[in-house]
Amino acid sequence: MTTPTLVFISGGVRSGKSSYAENLSIQIADETNSHLHYIATGVPSDQEMEERIKMHKDQRLTQNKKWITWEKADGIGELAPHFNHRDVLLLDCLTTLVNNEFFLNTGETVDCIENRIFTSIERLQHKCHTLIVVSNEVFFDTTYDTKLVLPYKKLLGRLHQRIVKQASYAFRVEFGTPIKMKGDSL
């Protein structure tokens, strides 16, 4: 992998997608002698989220690898100047980022939010060796046609499609097992 690569990983809640993404990040960084960066989009808004953030931090500590963590709830494109072709970036997760952008920027249209997030992902991708984007599959759940849920799911679905179209590789993780959806060998 000599060109900037985009990898998309999705799966249900607790499917093992973050663990797979972290292991893949480490593998790529080891093979390319790159630095590991973790872009965390979670905000500790309640006890459950605080516990999930702590679990992810603890998991990275057990890997005996040096992760540089960037906590950025929105506006991830602002981080692009900090990276170069020797960096592997793990963005975890798109679902939370969309949530943050959706509710922090309530005066903007959904299209504006979508374009800003996608443009930010493109900026990050072009500044690093590899960008791995993790997202949740929320499309198999019952969708309630509300003023919030349906527009959120539509926005996330459009972003998934745009990212996968641009990605070199796409995986869906089920039961801790990655299933390759796009790309040759990795």
Side-chain angles (χ1 to χ4, degrees):
M1 284 188 227
T2 55
T3 59
T5 300
L6 178 60
V7 178
F8 181 76
I9 299 172
S10 69
V13 175
R14 305 287 194 269
S15 64
K17 63 190 173 299
S18 291
S19 294
Y20 177 68
E22 289 173 9
N23 290 332
L24 184 59
S25 298
I26 290 168
Q27 175 189 336
I28 294 169
D30 286 348
E31 289 174 1
T32 60
N33 196 29
S34 297
H35 304 109
L36 286 166
H37 296 266
Y38 189 100
I39 302 173
T41 61
V43 177
S45 55
D46 59 20
Q47 184 176 350
E48 180 185 353
M49 194 61 171
E50 288 174 7
E51 290 171 5
R52 291 185 72 191
I53 291 169
K54 182 180 181 330
M55 178 192 71
H56 281 278
K57 286 180 179 179
D58 291 347
Q59 183 173 317
R60 289 193 304 277
L61 288 173
T62 64
Q63 296 166 339
N64 294 323
K65 295 290 180 180
K66 183 180 181 203
W67 287 90
I68 301 167
T69 302
W70 304 81
E71 295 181 0
K72 192 79 169 124
D74 66 334
I76 59 167
E78 297 168 5
L79 295 174
H82 298 283
F83 306 121
N84 64 55
H85 70 282
R86 296 216 31 234
D87 293 321
V88 173
L89 311 181
L90 172 55
L91 171 64
D92 197 356
C93 84
L94 179 67
T95 316
T96 305
L97 176 65
V98 168
N99 181 68
N100 297 341
E101 292 277 1
F102 196 73
F103 291 106
L104 292 174
N105 299 295
T106 56
E108 292 183 339
T109 67
V110 173
D111 289 342
C112 183
I113 294 168
E114 175 187 339
N115 288 329
R116 182 176 54 254
I117 292 171
F118 187 73
T119 301
S120 294
I121 288 170
E122 285 184 314
R123 286 184 65 204
L124 292 172
Q125 176 194 359
H126 293 295
K127 289 292 292 189
C128 67
H129 182 279
T130 303
L131 171 61
I132 298 175
V133 177
V134 176
S135 192
N136 285 305
E137 282 297 334
V138 298
F139 307 102
F140 300 117
D141 297 335
T142 302
T143 300
Y144 299 99
D145 189 6
T146 69
K147 287 185 174 187
L148 299 177
V149 175
L150 195 55
Y152 170 82
K153 281 184 149 182
K154 286 180 178 180
L155 169 59
L156 187 61
R158 286 194 308 265
L159 279 168
H160 281 191
Q161 290 179 41
R162 289 177 75 178
I163 293 167
V164 170
K165 183 177 181 180
Q166 188 158 320
S168 302
Y169 305 94
F171 297 89
R172 183 178 68 231
V173 178
E174 293 182 8
F175 314 113
T177 304
I179 302 162
K180 189 180 295 183
M181 306 300 287
K182 181 181 179 182
D184 294 326
S185 62
L186 179 69

